Amino acid sequence: MTALNRLTMTEALTGLDRRDFTAVELTEAHIAAVESARPLNAFLVETPDQAREMAAASDARRAQGEAGLMDGLPIAIKDLFCTKGVATTAASKILQGFIPPYESTVTANLWQAGAVMLGKVNLDEFAMGSANVTSAYGPVINPWSPGPLGAWPRRLVPGGSSGGSAAAVAARCALGATGTDTGGSIRQPAGFCGLVGIKPTYGRCSRWGIVAFASSLDQAGPMTRTVADTALMLRAMAGYDPKDSTSVNRPVPDYQAALTGDIRGLRVGIPAEYRVDGMPAEIERLWDQGVAWLRDAGAEPVPVRLPHTQYALATYYIVAPAEASSNLARYDGVRFGLRVDGGSLSEMYENTRGSGFGAEVRRRILIGTYVLSHGYYDAYYLKAQKVRTRISEDFQAAFTACDVILTPTAPSTAFAIGEKMDDPIQMYLNDVFTVPASLAGLPGLSVPAGLGADGLPLGLQLIGRPFDEETLLRVAGVIESAAGITALPPFVA
Ligand code: GLN
């Protein structure tokens, strides 16, 4: 690892502009880091040749004075984004051998901005999970795991589903990574790995070319080491896309300009309902600390009510599997990836789907099919849709009294691989603070705010009004400076 790996995106851009180093040098340092971080299992596909080519092209553009927003910055791509000519697996065996003939809009936007692709990173299978343990290609190890590389006494999860993205950025293999968030998959791994991550408003980033999990919830977003970097990368990723009918046609602001540090008079909502039973005292203290920092900076904390919060998890785990069961019907052995032959067409379907999908994906398909089936649709799916509306209305009411909401990101620090694995409900509880904003389509951001007694990162979550990512970023910047975290993951320390 060299000094180039320690730079933030903003610092790297300054260095590139000053000709302190080239994009090729910056990229070589990150390719080497990717190689030495292989024991973390963060990368599913490494694309060093492509990275070198892209970096050389970037240096040429900069020499012509034509550098884009992220020109020359090496990043990692969650393997849920289709990348033209580069294997895309969704961490599932069923997509084995699938090489997309097209590029997702978000990744196309990033390449347009000059970013350099280091490779595709691991995730929970089809983004279903909170610990990156459901990947068909093995778990990812959190670089915050104590002990020397490869000799970890406790191998910690990086969170999920964007676990490979989080590990790659925390391990200084990449300056940033794309994530996707359906119920918390950007925010919770950002929290577990000491990173900043934002799930933008539903419709802010195009979903075109992203393997679908739950279409009414899925959103792409950046994961980086600083708030300024998240602001930069979000600007490059976001934008209207006629190919995604749910993408919204609004101009993309200069998010970095929002980082003024001035939050005087801002009303910060504190929802009592997020003080859930059994929340560890250190999480409660961190939350109180966050409130105190914002008050010191001139904001005004106000209590708000989100009365339907207690139903959010149950609602999410009906709506998301229902949509997943429908989206995953396309993997039938005919059009994409794996095919396992059988004596008849239905036997081929059964064999393919039976061996291609892992246990968690099969569980979601079963739940989803059940809640959508005749006789249960009204009792489960329709009821969940009604509760979803109530949850959304709770937020609308709260945002008449406040401008932004502050909560913890997750109910714990990173746990060990193997924990919570035989009890799906325990695993689902990880999402208790993140799913409400997802159901309401609102932007949510996680920012590192402290360390737990175990020395592991803890994040605070900010939830905002639709398309008010700027306020989230501005407030996150204040928390980031107040927290002043300097601790590094043992992997890079
Ligand atoms: N952990 C949640 C789930 O398992 C959320 C996943 C996500 O946001 N993709 O569904």
Side-chain angles (χ1 to χ4, degrees):
M1 193 145 306
T2 71
L4 294 182
N5 299 89
R6 310 220 175 240
L7 301 174
T8 65
M9 286 186 177
T10 334
E11 290 164 352
L13 282 177
T14 309
L16 288 166
D17 284 339
R18 284 205 310 237
R19 308 294 194 267
D20 292 346
F21 46 84
T22 64
V24 167
E25 287 162 347
L26 184 65
T27 298
E28 287 298 345
H30 285 87
I31 291 172
V34 169
E35 286 171 6
S36 50
R38 281 182 189 149
L40 299 176
N41 199 29
F43 280 78
L44 293 178
V45 182
E46 297 172 14
T47 54
D49 296 339
Q50 198 159 333
R52 289 185 178 111
E53 254 171 56
M54 291 171 99
S58 167
D59 282 328
R61 277 192 301 272
R62 190 165 262 106
Q64 302 285 313
E66 286 164 6
L69 208 54
M70 289 181 60
D71 230 300
L73 303 181
I75 58 169
I77 301 298
K78 185 178 184 177
D79 202 19
L80 201 62
F81 291 78
C82 287
T83 40
K84 190 174 178 178
V86 178
T88 299
T89 67
S92 180
K93 273 207 289 218
I94 210 152
L95 275 173
Q96 222 161 46
F98 172 57
I99 300 194
Y102 49 79
E103 187 76 28
S104 85
T105 298
V106 160
T107 47
N109 289 348
L110 286 164
W111 314 142
Q112 184 63 35
V116 169
M117 174 160 94
L118 291 164
K120 306 290 294 287
V121 279
N122 211 340
L123 65 149
D124 280 298
E125 185 176 2
F126 283 105
M128 298 175 189
S130 310
N132 212 132
V133 292
T134 72
S135 166
Y137 302 100
V140 172
I141 292 149
N142 188 329
W144 285 86
S145 301
L149 175 65
W152 301 285
R154 262 183 106 227
R155 299 185 312 152
L156 303 176
V157 304
S161 65
S162 311
S165 307
V169 180
R172 274 62 181 169
C173 297
L175 288 170
T178 60
T180 65
D181 190 311
T182 303
S185 277
I186 288 176
R187 292 162 282 164
Q188 184 255 20
F192 276 15
C193 291
L195 303 175
V196 182
I198 188 168
K199 178 201 91 74
T201 311
Y202 184 77
R204 181 69 289 187
C205 289
S206 170
R207 290 182 297 109
W208 195 81
I210 301 174
V211 175
F213 164 9
S215 308
S216 77
L217 296 157
D218 298 343
Q219 255 303 286
M223 302 171 75
T224 69
R225 295 196 288 268
T226 66
V227 176
D229 288 0
T230 282
L232 173 74
M233 189 165 166
L234 177 61
R235 187 174 172 199
M237 292 170 71
Y240 173 61
D241 177 11
K243 290 196 289 239
D244 171 5
S245 62
T246 61
S247 108
V248 175
N249 195 352
R250 287 170 74 111
V252 179
D254 175 355
Y255 293 114
Q256 281 174 295
L259 305 180
T260 59
D262 185 1
I263 57 161
R264 284 172 298 174
L266 197 80
R267 295 165 306 165
V268 181
I270 312 299
E273 290 79 4
Y274 279 58
R275 292 198 192 268
V276 295
D277 277 349
M279 181 154 80
E282 67 179 12
I283 306 261
E284 196 129 354
R285 275 200 302 277
L286 180 88
W287 194 8
D288 293 341
Q289 175 63 260
V291 174
W293 284 329
L294 298 182
R295 188 188 285 116
D296 290 347
E300 181 199 342
V302 292
V304 293
R305 298 298 315 271
L306 296 168
H308 295 88
T309 299
Q310 57 179 310
Y311 307 115
L313 210 53
T315 303
Y316 172 84
Y317 278 100
I318 290 172
V319 173
E323 295 185 19
S325 71
S326 160
N327 274 326
L328 271 53
R330 74 189 68 172
Y331 305 106
D332 55 6
V334 177
R335 284 164 295 175
F336 313 95
L338 183 78
R339 169 185 300 199
V340 183
D341 284 329
S344 65
L345 181 64
S346 7
E347 226 178 80
M348 186 279 282
Y349 287 160
E350 280 168 23
N351 293 347
T352 300
R353 290 171 65 84
S355 62
F357 290 134
E360 182 61 27
V361 174
R362 289 203 298 269
R363 178 182 298 124
R364 307 265 180 134
I365 293 174
L366 286 172
I367 295 172
T369 309
Y370 179 81
V371 300
L372 289 173
S373 59
H374 182 71
Y376 297 103
Y377 183 90
D378 288 1
Y380 293 105
Y381 184 70
L382 208 59
K383 184 60 131 307
Q385 292 292 23
K386 289 179 180 169
V387 180
R388 182 176 186 178
T389 303
R390 291 278 174 272
I391 290 168
S392 219
E393 289 167 353
D394 280 358
F395 279 109
Q396 280 166 31
F399 282 123
T400 60
C402 70
D403 304 302
V404 66
I405 291 172
L406 180 76
T407 79
T409 300
S412 72
T413 54
F415 46 89
I417 294 173
E419 279 174 28
K420 302 183 204 250
M421 280 178 64
D422 23 332
D423 183 357
I425 305 282
Q426 268 303 313
M427 194 60 97
Y428 296 171
L429 275 173
N430 264 290
D431 310 327
V432 63
F433 299 134
T434 49
V435 292
S438 298
L439 289 165
L442 300 173
L445 176 153
S446 178
V447 57
L451 300 177
D454 50 12
L456 299 174
L458 282 169
L460 285 173
Q461 176 182 227
L462 294 157
I463 303 172
R465 295 193 177 102
F467 296 98
D468 193 13
E469 283 80 8
E470 288 160 287
T471 299
L472 299 192
L473 291 160
R474 181 178 309 124
V475 178
V478 172
I479 294 177
E480 179 180 58
S481 324
I485 298 172
T486 51
L488 289 172
F491 180 78
V492 293

